[in-house]
Amino acid sequence: MSGALPPVAADDEAVPAISAKIVIAGGFGVGKTTLVRSVSEVPPLNTEAWLTEAGEHIDRLSMSEAKHTTTVAMDFGRITLYPDLILYLFGTPGQPRFWFLWDDLSRGALGAIVLVDSRRLEQSFTALNYFEHDSAVPYIVAINRFGGKLWHDVADVREALGLRPEVPLVTCDARDSASTAQVLRELVLHTMSRARLQGAGAVAGSPTADG
């Protein structure tokens, strides 16, 4: 992927902007809230609650030593990715007791980003399984470079996750707005490419006058 969309026309000010919904999914503590916060051009909405010892039997407190809160509904942000494209970002909760919200958050989405921590790949399997088998939303996978470091080779991560060849796998630093914006561009490109392929397939499969 080139990472660039077709240029906007010179008179783009006359082109009305369209909006699209994007879902940011993944396990607990992979950086979803950080990603939304880093790139949102409006004050992000976070529905976070403190992790406490009282909730230890239902919340996984040991997954991230530095994390003291958990998203209990969603994260929300907005970014004007291009002059004619506004993205509304919805981050899913990572704790298992809030997974029932994923269907509502994914409804009507243009695409999804499954964010993973390559040091804890097992925490990504639920989100990957959801978008692979229980949702029609196109998705890509992004490895969050914690501490700015890529802990494992990208090819090794792809194999460990069992990703299909057509699912893009990219890396990012969820703290960095430019890095996050590039991942969003990759997702938009992926959804456009899928739409073109599906459109071509529909045309190829249409009955002809001779048929």
Side-chain angles (χ1 to χ4, degrees):
M1 289 188 181
S2 64
L5 290 175
V8 179
D11 59 344
D12 56 37
E13 292 183 358
V15 178
I18 60 173
S19 61
K21 178 182 183 180
I22 301 296
V23 174
I24 314 297
F28 174 70
V30 298
K32 302 182 297 294
T33 299
T34 300
L35 186 150
V36 173
R37 183 182 296 135
S38 74
V39 79
S40 180
E41 61 193 13
V42 298
L45 169 66
N46 302 123
T47 55
E48 293 197 316
W50 287 99
L51 291 169
T52 65
E53 292 183 1
E56 187 172 3
H57 65 291
I58 52 177
D59 289 329
R60 302 173 182 176
L61 305 184
S62 61
M63 289 184 192
S64 178
E65 296 178 357
K67 188 167 174 62
H68 305 291
T69 61
T70 184
T71 298
V72 297
M74 67 175 183
D75 300 310
F76 174 79
R78 186 190 74 189
I79 175 176
T80 304
L81 194 63
Y82 293 97
D84 58 348
L85 179 61
I86 299 172
L87 300 182
Y88 292 96
L89 311 178
F90 291 80
T92 66
Q95 289 287 358
R97 61 188 170 120
F98 300 116
W99 287 347
F100 70 92
L101 294 170
W102 287 16
D103 285 339
D104 288 336
L105 292 176
S106 298
R107 189 171 295 114
L110 174 71
I113 296 169
V114 177
L115 193 63
V116 305
D117 178 352
S118 62
R119 302 168 301 177
R120 300 183 292 117
L121 287 179
E122 70 281 359
Q123 301 303 326
S124 308
F125 295 153
T126 298
L128 288 171
N129 183 71
Y130 176 81
F131 287 102
E132 179 70 23
H133 300 290
D134 301 323
S135 173
V137 176
Y139 71 97
I140 69 172
V141 179
I143 305 170
N144 189 5
R145 299 194 304 268
F146 278 87
K149 179 179 179 181
L150 185 61
W151 294 86
H152 298 283
D153 184 79
V154 173
D156 291 339
V157 174
R158 173 178 286 278
E159 182 177 0
L161 293 176
L163 296 182
R164 291 180 287 110
E166 62 269 26
V167 177
L169 176 62
V170 300
T171 69
C172 71
D173 185 335
R175 304 167 301 176
D176 182 77
S177 59
S179 180
T180 296
Q182 181 58 29
V183 173
L184 292 169
R185 293 187 186 98
E186 295 286 355
L187 175 60
V188 171
L189 281 167
H190 178 58
T191 59
M192 291 174 60
S193 176
R194 277 175 51 102
R196 284 195 294 266
L197 288 174
Q198 291 173 354
V203 171
S206 298
T208 63
D210 296 332

